[in-house]
Amino acid sequence: MSGQSNYNPKTGIEKWLDARLPIIRLGVDTMIFPSPRNLNYWWTFGAILAVMLVSQLITGIILAMHYVPHPDMAFDSVQHINRNINWGWMLQPMHAVGASMMFLAVYIHMFRGIYYGSAKNPREMIWIVGMVIYLLMMATGFMGYVLPWGQMSIWGAIVITNLFSAIPPEAAGTAVTQWLWGGFAVDGPTLNRFFSLHYLLPFLIVGMVILHIWALHIPSNNNPTGISIKTKADTLNFHPYYTVKDAFAIVVFLMIFSYFLFFKPDSMGHPDNFIPANPYSTPAHIVPEWYYLPFYAILRAVPDKLMGVVAMFASIGVLFALPWLDTSKVRSMRYRPLAKQFFFLFVLVCLGLGWAGAKLPSDLVFATGVDADGHEVGLTFVWMSRILTIYYFAFFLVILPILGLVEKPKPRPASIEASVLGTDKGDN
Amino acid sequence: MSTPVESDEPTRRDFIHIASGTAVVAGAGFLAWPLIDQMNPSADTLSLATIEFDVSSLEEGAQVVAKWRGKPVFIRYRTAAEIEEARSLDVSVLKDKQTDSERLVPGPDGKLKPQYLVAVGICTHLGCVPLFDPKDTKGGEYGGWFCPCHGSHYDNSGRIRKGPAPTNLVVPPYWYMSDTVIQIGKEASV
């Protein structure tokens, strides 16, 4: 929103309103602003996420009309929604599958930001606000998964709230966990407050999304070349060009969403969550939802309890510092031959951590032989997690800072316009 | 019009600003505490704080799980061999150094009852319920309990021997009301 406005009220009513509450002007100037003309499909995930957020809000508010946040009734009320409520069979999975789809979109959105240097100067605040949104999403998703009060719900809640017991008791670790639980264990009071907070946090996300988009309107979008906008010839107005491109991507994304919703609604969940919660019987293998698995693998990679929790939170915290850890003056990794390779390895490492998080730590990735008792030995998932965790942190704390200093980038085009039209192979 | 004389001395107005600012901050603090404290365990939760259990109903080698404060409590009747194993251990090998005797409370006669081990059945790692595991039944290596979540092994005294858990299974406050009845949630009044 660089000063001048694109809105020109024509009718008397519009002029009257614009002098009193310039809300149409706000809307027009939000949608009609110059964007780089070369945005590719990786840039559509912001709009996809906006659609998913609205979808989650609508289905969530509807589910809250039928759900009962009581330990004796929560499990049955979710079954009641699925079996008896009109359209409940669709609305409840729409919310549950929608959460998975939203995380899928947010991970692509974040990887895109890392690859094209979207976090870097002058977009640090967009990235940081985005990371706050991601943290709020994780908290919301976690509490939402607890609400059906199945075995994975309660045991997920027990394991995650116990992360705070890594704080030594003399430093209020016990007091903090009992405060979170509202008792001596995860129970009814915990469920009830999680329901309350699960309803609240999405509205905080909406507020943060407004800040995210506001901050985006100051420098405008980054783009695949990472080169700043220099002239009007580098840009297209967001509406109609990118509203249409985003709309197409949204339709494709909704088709994928629909496939899972209508044909595989339970594929993202865990069968144990169809067993009502039992605080006296731990399932043999507790796993979080798929979108937390990489962090769960990092938690389990560290043999010490407190340090494991610290490593897990640090793996998210380090993302906040990304704008300053990536020291290269070139934004887009398209022109960074080394960074590009380390980036794709980083993506594989994140997927590998997710795989390790889904397995028992002692399971074997592959066997190398047989020990004296006839048991297979080889690389266990806990050791794979350790190796991948080291790369995860090294990527941010060692590789990105050093690469920016030693890497020789390839020549960049003279401008966004030149890169689109192919008229210039400049080397600025 | 006369302008106020510039001075480094605090004025009456500075005093009012500081005093009213302090009052607002203190008032906000007083107001915040009820909003925070309401999440702590409620009166009815706290009132269910003790239970009684008759250990004479146990058979040797077995354990029962009692429910106390929403948590499982293991009460185990240990065999003579198990007691001997727990006592003979050199505590210097332990992560959380405790002798077996330190994890027991005396009966009414002032003597320990080493056959009965009482411990909160919650893994001190991340809160799962460890599996009762006399030697070589579920893969635990020390004949006590094995936590399936992240692989912590406890011995028959509830002491952590291997795995990520930082401390031994917690011994809840309890005392022998009689020779065979224990009350969990309260210590013997001396």
Side-chain angles (χ1 to χ4, degrees):
Chain A
M1 259 177 273
S2 50
Q4 92 208 39
S5 174
N6 291 299
Y7 178 59
N8 203 0
K10 294 193 179 66
T11 64
I13 291 173
E14 279 184 84
K15 283 177 186 160
W16 182 90
L17 183 63
D18 194 52
R20 288 161 180 79
L21 179 69
I23 192 165
I24 302 176
R25 181 180 298 277
L26 178 69
V28 167
D29 288 341
T30 303
M31 296 307 285
I32 301 184
F33 83 109
S35 308
R37 62 192 284 178
N38 60 339
L39 298 186
N40 59 28
Y41 275 106
W42 298 113
W43 261 264
T44 60
F45 284 89
I48 288 168
L49 281 162
V51 169
M52 289 311 300
L53 178 59
V54 172
S55 167
Q56 290 301 91
L57 281 166
I58 293 172
T59 50
I61 288 166
I62 290 167
L63 292 178
M65 295 177 185
H66 308 286
Y67 171 77
V68 186
H70 186 280
D72 296 340
M73 298 164 82
F75 185 89
D76 290 345
S77 75
V78 173
Q79 295 306 311
H80 163 71
I81 290 168
N82 270 287
R83 292 157 193 264
N84 302 332
I85 298 293
N86 298 335
W87 296 97
W89 62 269
M90 181 180 80
L91 294 166
Q92 193 275 331
M94 201 185 244
H95 195 70
V97 176
S100 275
M101 299 309 289
M102 201 166 164
F103 273 97
L104 174 66
V106 88
Y107 283 131
I108 296 172
H109 195 61
M110 288 162 71
F111 279 127
R112 187 270 290 162
I114 297 172
Y115 182 80
Y116 290 111
S118 299
K120 288 152 80 168
N121 180 17
R123 296 183 180 79
E124 299 94 326
M125 282 312 297
I126 307 176
W127 176 263
I128 288 172
V129 171
M131 282 306 303
V132 173
I133 295 171
Y134 174 59
L135 274 182
L136 288 170
M137 278 177 65
M138 291 180 91
T140 310
F142 158 64
M143 287 191 278
Y145 195 64
V146 174
L147 300 184
W149 212 235
Q151 271 292 64
M152 277 299 154
S153 296
I154 188 172
W155 287 98
I158 289 169
V159 169
I160 299 300
T161 53
N162 264 301
L163 294 178
F164 293 94
S165 71
I167 305 166
E170 56 274 20
T174 312
V176 168
T177 44
Q178 291 192 357
W179 177 72
L180 286 172
W181 293 332
F184 302 105
V186 171
D187 205 344
T190 327
L191 175 63
N192 220 322
R193 65 191 53 183
F194 275 20
F195 178 57
S196 169
L197 294 172
H198 182 72
Y199 206 113
L200 165 71
L201 292 190
F203 294 97
L204 297 186
I205 293 178
V206 170
M208 296 307 290
V209 166
I210 290 171
L211 295 187
H212 196 59
I213 294 172
W214 184 14
L216 175 71
H217 277 65
I218 306 301
S220 185
N221 290 84
N222 185 31
N223 66 86
T225 67
I227 303 170
S228 301
I229 294 169
K230 287 168 185 159
T231 63
K232 201 164 183 333
D234 290 339
T235 66
L236 291 170
N237 274 334
F238 185 78
H239 180 75
Y241 295 96
Y242 289 116
T243 43
V244 170
K245 185 164 185 159
D246 285 346
F248 177 71
I250 287 165
V251 169
V252 173
F253 190 83
L254 290 181
M255 287 167 70
I256 299 167
F257 181 11
S258 300
Y259 169 74
F260 283 103
L261 171 57
F262 293 113
F263 295 98
K264 303 270 180 201
D266 297 321
S267 61
M268 311 266 191
H270 195 288
D272 277 26
N273 224 26
F274 288 98
I275 304 169
N278 177 358
Y280 303 104
S281 166
T282 310
H285 185 196
I286 299 174
V287 284
E289 300 104 296
W290 69 266
Y291 36 88
Y292 303 131
L293 288 173
F295 302 105
Y296 194 55
I298 291 173
L299 169 75
R300 297 193 299 186
V302 183
D304 179 78
K305 176 177 173 180
L306 179 59
M307 291 317 292
V309 175
V310 168
M312 192 186 73
F313 282 108
S315 66
I316 300 165
V318 73
L319 286 163
F320 279 85
L322 175 68
W324 295 276
L325 292 172
D326 187 348
T327 52
S328 174
K329 291 207 163 42
V330 178
R331 289 198 195 100
S332 174
M333 289 189 187
R334 184 182 272 190
Y335 308 107
R336 299 181 59 194
L338 289 175
K340 184 189 280 187
Q341 293 174 31
F342 284 111
F343 170 81
F344 286 120
L345 186 55
F346 173 71
V347 175
L348 290 177
V349 162
C350 291
L351 295 174
L353 281 170
W355 184 33
K359 298 286 183 176
L360 284 171
S362 56
D363 282 353
L364 293 182
V365 187
F366 54 80
T368 53
V370 185
D371 69 7
D373 300 333
H375 300 296
E376 286 192 318
V377 292
L379 181 69
T380 56
F381 276 98
V382 70
W383 273 104
M384 184 174 104
S385 307
R386 284 170 189 166
I387 296 163
L388 299 184
T389 299
I390 289 168
Y391 183 85
Y392 181 98
F393 283 104
F395 178 74
F396 291 107
L397 298 175
V398 180
I399 296 168
L400 282 181
I402 292 176
L403 266 192
L405 306 175
V406 302
E407 182 184 35
K408 186 176 184 320
K410 293 199 283 192
R412 272 91 63 213
S415 67
I416 294 170
E417 185 195 17
S419 85
V420 173
L421 302 177
T423 53
D424 187 319
K425 295 290 180 201
D427 60 355
N428 61 323
Chain B
M1 259 171 78
S2 63
T3 50
V5 182
E6 290 289 330
S7 162
D8 291 339
E9 289 292 304
T11 62
R12 287 158 61 99
R13 181 155 294 186
D14 290 336
F15 175 79
I16 286 172
H17 283 162
I18 293 165
S20 54
T22 309
V24 167
V25 170
F30 277 115
L31 186 62
W33 178 243
L35 305 183
I36 295 166
D37 189 40
Q38 52 81 21
M39 281 175 67
N40 273 319
S42 58
D44 65 320
T45 305
L46 292 171
S47 70
L48 294 172
T50 63
I51 58 161
E52 287 166 26
F53 184 81
D54 183 354
V55 291
S56 64
S57 60
L58 272 167
E59 285 181 29
E60 188 171 9
Q63 84 162 9
V64 293
V65 181
K67 293 176 184 178
W68 171 66
R69 293 184 174 182
K71 296 188 269 203
V73 174
F74 297 153
I75 304 164
R76 175 167 178 163
Y77 188 162
R78 299 187 295 181
T79 63
E82 287 171 338
I83 297 166
E84 177 53 31
E85 191 185 335
R87 290 193 156 172
S88 62
L89 182 77
D90 175 9
V91 292
S92 65
V93 305
L94 293 172
K95 191 191 283 186
D96 183 4
K97 293 176 183 39
Q98 266 188 319
T99 62
D100 189 53
S101 306
E102 286 168 344
R103 297 179 56 75
L104 302 169
V105 304
D109 56 357
K111 286 189 193 139
L112 293 178
K113 292 174 171 290
Q115 65 271 41
Y116 298 121
L117 185 91
V118 181
V120 176
I122 290 183
C123 182
T124 56
H125 182 227
L126 291 174
C128 298
V129 179
L131 304 170
F132 175 56
D133 192 31
K135 276 221 158 140
D136 293 328
T137 55
K138 299 213 176 59
E141 291 171 23
Y142 298 93
W145 291 269
F146 171 66
C147 182
C149 292
H150 305 96
S152 290
H153 299 258
Y154 297 90
D155 66 16
N156 73 51
S157 188
R159 296 174 294 194
I160 181 66
R161 299 292 290 273
K162 184 180 173 188
T167 58
N168 301 335
L169 292 181
V170 172
V171 176
Y174 72 98
W175 66 295
Y176 284 88
M177 304 174 84
S178 71
D179 212 36
T180 56
V181 177
I182 58 172
Q183 188 185 39
I184 300 172
K186 189 164 171 266
E187 280 170 358
S189 42
V190 180

